[in-house]
Amino acid sequence: MASKTIHAIYNDDDLLLHAVKQVREARYHIGEIYTPFPVHGLDKAVGEAPTRLAITSFLYGITGLSVAVLMMNYMMVQDWPQDIGGKPSFSFLTNMPSFIPIMFELTVFFAAHLMVITFYMRSRLAPFKKAENPDPRTTDDMFLMEVDATNHNVEDLTKFLYDTGAAEIKLIDNK
Amino acid sequence: MYTLSSKLKLTAIILVIVGAIGLVYGFISTPSNEEELKELLAADAHGEHGAEHEEASATTEEHGTAVEADHAASSEGHGETAHGEGEHGDSHMEHLLHQFQTKPWSAIFVSAFFFFMIALGALVFYAIQYVAQAGWSPVLFRVIEGVTNYLLPGSIIVVLIVIFAGTHFYPWQNHELVEEDVILQGKSGYLNFPFFVIRAIIYLIGWNLYRFISRRNSLAQATATNLTPYKKNFKASVFFLLFFVITETTMAWDWFMSMTPHWYSTLFAWYIFASIFVSAITVIALVTMFLKKAGHLEFVNDSHLHDLAKFMFAFSVFWTYLWFGQFLLIWYANIPEEVTYFIIRIEEYNLLFFGMLVLNFIFPILMLINSDYKRIPWFVMMAGVVILIGHYIDIFLLVMPSTVGPNWSFGITEIAGLLFFLGLFILFVGTGLAKESLYPKGNPFLKESENYHY
């Protein structure tokens, strides 16, 4: 079955925010919104679930801390506990202060890098990836809202979107 | 308009009275001569053990060795004429007596400084908010002004204590000791009593002057038709911050570092500042939550609480960073004249010394890292109480090991000091909050602050 979407283009972020609220109230389904810059409050208006990226980062940080502890405990205390300048390498705790800079840095390193990679994977960003841009103007000064029109009367929907202040309305037929 | 409830007022007065009685008891029960000390030690079941223990560690502690050397010298002549006791035992008992007599002084100073530094830190936070032209905080200005109302009594008490403590805290005030100590002679250009007192009075006047001016301007702005009082306050805050950075540094040298005058650390003043600042922000948050719950701060929302909690979190980490920065460098290089400071703290105060890290770092970092939790009042309240306990221990560990060495205890005198100053703090902060409307009318950023949303 062919699906239809409508691309409504706005030229102001305030207008877009209001439109999003109206569209949601009228129970139309918003597919995607393209904006040239972050619009404060848009994610809440659309009803996006909050991101869990911070939680993953915390877990990655703990992973990094464990890696640092295990690595240095093995190398400095268990494998070859050499006397280096009188540092007490009898157990991990007796020599811990000198390990803390590395523990800290590895925690930050893991938390930061793995979180960024997670972000790339979840948002499907990679080099040589084909840009999914319905209209190049949305990277400059236009805001585009995709509204699902498959099971709706296209004319009513067009009229509705026009009333929300859309500057341009296009019907896209996905065959 | 907030009024200090009679119930709270009565509680505070009772705390002050009970604390005062406890402090008086603490000073009276101090052994005044060696015979009394011997009785005290004999009465204590572990007295003998404690004494032995003390003797072994006395040599590790800098202040201890310095004072002991002094007493050994002075007791030489004394021992010959008066009693035939062994010279070493005699000087040891004298040393022990000195530390026991210092105990109530230290107890009162720890609590006095702890509550004073909260008022001082709040004042600094206030000045920073002015200078940074922060858009979120003006709704809290009256609350902060209320907290700084304790500054005047608090600072006077603290300055009186450091001036009158004399050799109880500051071995460099002992002339006989300085005469035979080349290091102390070298420092006498800075560490001498008249200059010490002058400095203390300069701090006292400078800090209280800014508090007076800023409060007056802030109140004048509420009725003013233009922004002149605000602009005056801005300028005053800039100069206060400059003055504060310098005087806080020398204050830390004067009042804390010179307790162990052979020891020095460059980071020390910043480290104390971190403690001051995080405790002050915590108390501001606690007072804000208290007043909000009582319905006096409708214009404060949970985003303001969120920001305060973020500051509590961030400055707990900052404190840990400085604590560790100081500890790691000294531990790593292990230079004898520097490590003495940490040796006595680790050997004699082990649980407090490392427990403090749990309270001041691990607890806040785990409790306040979640963005949602920072908006829940009882959660922030809990974290705040833990942070305050942690920083009380921090001040305890700045003072006690340097003054009473291994003979510390947490008994009637220490608790009494805590109660006395807590009562005084509640009284002055409460009356300070009750003086004016809690709504800082006229502040140019008030509208933004009221609508603040994170």
Side-chain angles (χ1 to χ4, degrees):
Chain A
M1 198 183 97
S3 70
K4 287 181 203 161
T5 50
I6 285 184
H7 284 183
I9 298 182
Y10 298 81
N11 47 26
D12 186 86
D13 50 341
D14 271 344
L15 216 55
L16 175 76
L17 265 181
H18 283 291
V20 166
K21 277 171 200 154
Q22 286 168 1
V23 170
R24 294 245 303 160
E25 267 170 32
R27 302 263 168 218
Y28 289 117
H29 180 253
I30 299 174
E32 192 72 68
I33 294 178
Y34 297 87
T35 64
F37 53 77
V39 177
H40 187 73
L42 186 62
D43 53 338
K44 285 221 176 74
V46 176
E48 286 276 0
T51 172
R52 287 168 295 180
L53 214 49
I55 299 169
T56 64
S57 180
F58 184 75
L59 297 176
Y60 295 146
I62 291 174
T63 313
L65 184 66
S66 318
V67 168
V69 170
L70 292 176
M71 175 181 78
M72 282 179 298
N73 186 47
Y74 175 70
M75 296 195 307
M76 303 301 289
V77 178
Q78 287 177 351
D79 188 37
W80 196 347
Q82 198 181 9
D83 184 341
I84 303 165
K87 283 279 161 285
S89 45
F90 307 113
S91 77
F92 186 77
L93 274 183
T94 52
N95 209 1
M96 187 163 92
S98 52
F99 300 149
I100 283 193
I102 297 159
M103 284 156 65
F104 169 75
E105 294 294 348
L106 277 184
T107 308
V108 175
F109 180 88
F110 272 64
H113 288 83
L114 291 182
M115 179 181 72
V116 167
I117 293 170
T118 309
F119 167 72
Y120 285 152
M121 286 166 70
R122 290 291 292 157
S123 50
R124 301 177 194 288
L125 281 176
F128 311 113
K129 181 194 149 94
K130 196 169 173 301
E132 302 164 355
N133 197 348
D135 190 324
R137 287 174 302 167
T138 58
T139 61
D140 183 16
D141 61 347
M142 290 297 192
F143 304 82
L144 190 149
M145 174 164 48
E146 277 183 6
V147 184
D148 191 16
T150 312
N151 297 318
H152 298 288
N153 183 332
V154 175
E155 267 177 40
D156 285 355
L157 183 52
T158 311
K159 170 97 178 41
F160 177 81
L161 287 172
Y162 181 75
D163 287 343
T164 61
E168 223 180 284
I169 295 173
K170 270 193 273 185
L171 180 67
I172 309 289
D173 227 343
N174 305 313
K175 294 256 164 63
Chain B
M1 194 78 183
Y2 169 75
T3 42
L4 183 60
S5 69
S6 56
K7 217 167 118 190
L8 198 60
K9 199 170 183 175
L10 189 69
T11 317
I13 291 171
I14 291 172
L15 285 177
V16 170
I17 293 170
V18 170
I21 293 170
L23 283 174
V24 170
Y25 166 79
F27 275 95
I28 291 174
S29 63
T30 318
S32 57
N33 54 48
E34 287 176 22
E35 274 67 43
E36 278 181 39
L37 178 63
K38 273 175 197 157
E39 279 170 33
L40 188 80
L41 292 177
D44 185 6
H46 303 285
E48 209 172 327
H49 169 72
E52 259 173 55
H53 194 48
E54 197 278 331
E55 193 175 340
S57 60
T59 45
T60 60
E61 202 239 323
E62 175 135 45
H63 172 61
T65 32
V67 173
E68 194 163 24
D70 160 58
H71 286 309
S74 65
S75 63
E76 253 174 74
H78 188 60
E80 271 172 40
T81 49
H83 25 128
E85 248 190 70
E87 200 178 287
H88 175 72
D90 195 23
S91 76
H92 170 68
M93 281 310 277
E94 249 182 82
H95 173 57
L96 206 57
L97 180 67
H98 181 84
Q99 292 194 330
F100 266 85
Q101 285 177 340
T102 301
K103 274 179 78 174
W105 283 94
S106 300
I108 196 172
F109 183 55
V110 170
S111 296
F113 186 80
F114 177 70
F115 285 100
F116 154 72
M117 81 177 187
I118 289 169
L120 181 64
L123 193 69
V124 178
F125 188 70
Y126 183 75
I128 290 174
Q129 298 304 313
Y130 255 101
V131 172
Q133 303 188 342
W136 69 276
S137 53
V139 290
L140 302 173
F141 278 178
R142 287 284 186 274
V143 177
I144 304 177
E145 284 165 19
V147 174
T148 58
N149 195 42
Y150 179 72
L151 186 74
L152 185 63
S155 57
I156 289 173
I157 294 172
V158 165
V159 166
L160 286 179
I161 293 172
V162 293
I163 288 175
F164 286 102
T167 51
H168 284 302
F169 287 172
Y170 306 114
W172 52 266
Q173 288 183 11
N174 185 336
H175 296 295
E176 293 166 14
L177 184 64
V178 176
E179 268 166 31
E180 62 200 44
D181 193 321
V182 187
I183 294 173
L184 292 189
Q185 281 164 19
K187 293 187 179 185
S188 63
Y190 186 79
L191 290 181
N192 61 72
F193 191 64
F195 191 29
F196 179 79
V197 175
I198 291 169
R199 285 195 306 266
I201 289 172
I202 289 174
Y203 311 153
L204 186 75
I205 292 172
W207 297 337
N208 282 296
L209 194 66
Y210 170 70
R211 145 82 196 164
F212 176 75
I213 290 171
S214 65
R215 172 73 167 174
R216 199 185 54 186
N217 281 329
S218 172
L219 295 181
Q221 184 64 65
T223 52
T225 49
N226 56 16
L227 285 180
T228 317
Y230 172 79
K231 285 176 183 163
K232 275 189 194 163
N233 230 3
F234 180 86
K235 273 184 201 151
S237 306
V238 172
F239 286 110
F240 168 69
L241 286 177
L242 286 173
F243 177 80
F244 175 78
V245 172
I246 297 165
T247 49
E248 195 273 334
T249 310
T250 51
M251 177 272 277
W253 299 342
D254 287 359
W255 296 354
F256 294 100
M257 208 151 86
S258 81
M259 284 174 174
T260 49
H262 285 194
W263 180 81
Y264 47 85
S265 163
T266 327
L267 204 72
F268 196 65
W270 268 114
Y271 163 64
I272 291 182
F273 169 72
S275 223
I276 291 175
F277 208 51
V278 69
S279 315
I281 293 167
T282 305
V283 169
I284 293 169
L286 294 183
V287 174
T288 306
M289 279 184 282
F290 172 77
L291 291 173
K292 169 98 181 148
K293 189 137 191 291
H296 296 287
L297 296 173
E298 287 86 13
F299 42 91
V300 170
N301 59 41
D302 62 352
S303 289
H304 296 113
L305 179 63
H306 190 152
D307 268 26
L308 283 173
K310 269 191 276 189
F311 268 108
M312 284 161 61
F313 173 80
F315 278 94
S316 288
V317 176
F318 178 67
W319 175 87
T320 315
Y321 171 63
L322 293 181
W323 178 88
F324 184 67
Q326 181 169 276
F327 178 74
L328 175 68
L329 291 189
I330 291 175
W331 175 87
Y332 204 95
N334 204 17
I335 300 171
E337 67 244 41
E338 286 178 355
V339 285
T340 48
Y341 184 81
F342 285 112
I343 284 176
I344 183 158
R345 278 160 180 79
I346 291 173
E347 283 184 350
E348 306 292 342
Y349 296 77
N350 197 292
L351 184 65
L352 282 185
F353 188 69
F354 293 110
M356 162 176 93
L357 282 179
V358 176
L359 299 182
N360 287 344
F361 177 60
I362 297 174
F363 221 75
I365 209 174
L366 291 179
M367 287 182 85
L368 292 177
I369 200 165
N370 189 317
S371 171
D372 295 332
Y373 291 171
K374 287 197 274 265
R375 291 165 176 269
I376 305 173
W378 66 267
F379 215 87
V380 179
M381 193 85 86
M382 217 160 68
V385 169
V386 171
I387 291 175
L388 286 179
I389 294 172
H391 285 281
Y392 174 81
I393 296 174
D394 187 25
I395 302 301
F396 190 85
L397 286 179
L398 280 177
V399 175
M400 289 292 176
S402 307
T403 55
V404 303
N407 298 305
W408 68 282
S409 58
F410 193 79
I412 293 172
T413 327
E414 284 78 10
I415 294 169
L418 206 51
L419 296 182
F420 178 79
F421 287 102
L422 178 66
L424 212 59
F425 188 79
I426 293 173
L427 267 185
F428 275 90
V429 172
T431 49
L433 289 168
K435 267 182 201 153
E436 292 291 332
S437 157
L438 290 175
Y439 186 72
K441 220 175 127 230
N443 189 296
F445 293 100
L446 192 56
K447 178 102 179 123
E448 181 185 343
S449 180
E450 268 188 272
N451 294 321
Y452 177 69
H453 160 76
Y454 168 72

